[in-house]
Amino acid sequence: MRNPRSGRPSRHQRAQSSGGREGGGAPAGSCWLFGTHAVAAALTNPRRVFQRLLVTEGEHPAILAAHEAGATLRVEPEIVQRAKLDELLGDEAVHQGVAALVKLLPNLSLEDALERPGPVLVLDQVTDPRNVGAILRSAAAFGAACLVVQDRNAPEETAVLAKAASGALETVPMVREVNLSRAIEALQKAGCWTVGLDAGGGLLDGPSFENRRVALVLGAEGKGLRRLTRESCDEIAGLYMPGEMESLNVSVAAAVGLYELARVRMPSTYQPAATKKPT
């Protein structure tokens, strides 16, 4: 566990100060999650510690989905009126009749995260929680090992991020590092070929990385990769875009980049996971 910088609040303290924006002022080290997919995924995650589970009906789809996945509820559901959730989470929260007060997930070390298979995503000061959530969702869809962010310039674990991730926050580790350049160096020492996804290089060609593990490094919209981050990468590559747009939203760029890396493993015939018969 890293020591926080002098004079700077810890991640759990920062979560307490921002809790009121997304859920009634969660206690230090906790946050509110809402929405069927986000809460159902949290219920199936054995690493999640629940403090409260509020639902508008006893057989809420989130609970049913967790049971179907083989999860055992570790908290007693509280049945409340929808107006209670509106009051607690705010009128703009699309909570779908379910909310959970949970402890923040423990930060996984980069070394431990790299034991998981798949490519790695590195975000250079991407601060929008919806973008980060969407990137987590793509990371889960394409089998990425983890998402590496700079702790100081990345969004906290919040309901908005979790809802955008649609459950992926529970399955794809977010590794928080103090120094992104050192994290990139650690990835390189661990055998990852680091590719900065930005203009000014060649085209990202998935098959050319067939025998290498890739870490895609993406910068914030508008600013792109910072100079030091860019210089730390093994190479810079862009996406093939024959149309009139010169850039993509960072979450879309992450999805396209991950798809390009996955092309080499694409089977000749494909059956979507939802229609596969259990074995």
Side-chain angles (χ1 to χ4, degrees), residues 4-30:
R5 291 182 179 178
S6 176
R8 177 173 171 252
S10 68
R11 182 165 72 100
H12 286 189
Q13 289 170 329
R14 299 201 306 275
Q16 181 184 31
S17 65
S18 64
R21 293 198 301 269
E22 297 177 356
S30 304

Side-chain angles (χ1 to χ4, degrees), residues 129-144:
R130 291 176 178 82
N131 274 336
V132 175
I135 290 169
L136 281 169
R137 186 172 184 175
S138 295
F142 291 104

